[in-house]
Amino acid sequence: METFMKAIIEVAPPGSIFRTAQQQFAESRSGKTPDFRLSFASAKILFANLTPARLELLDTLRRIGPCTLATLARVVASTDPDVQTDIASLEFLGLVERDDAGDLTVPYESVEIILPLAQVA
């Protein structure tokens, strides 16, 4: 049985990293592949980093599979410099990786964004 990882992106208080680390450690000890977690202090910061264009790139790359930057730019009908900037940000956040051939890939089956409404205002 293949295990699928998902990326969980959330707005969480700064101290929550310890709870997350404990949860991931417990998952790995039980044999489960822990999900990738990415936390932001506010919805404003989350959406400054995960713009609609970046989310579209992430979705497109996940659907088409590993490819070069030029191929991805062609598929989304954007210029290479724009795509390069957005992909660099997604790589920095850990949402996009390069495989052994240097192609871009999304290592997650899905991405889940958790946004508590009380923290949006």
Side-chain angles (χ1 to χ4, degrees), residues 90-104:
L90 292 170
E91 281 184 283
F92 178 77
L93 293 171
L95 296 170
V96 169
E97 296 177 351
R98 292 187 189 264
D99 64 16
D100 293 338
D103 288 341
L104 301 167

Side-chain angles (χ1 to χ4, degrees), residues 50-66:
L50 293 173
T51 64
R54 290 177 184 165
L55 289 171
E56 180 185 343
L57 278 175
L58 195 60
D59 180 57
T60 300
L61 183 56
R62 175 71 187 132
R63 281 187 290 109
I64 65 175

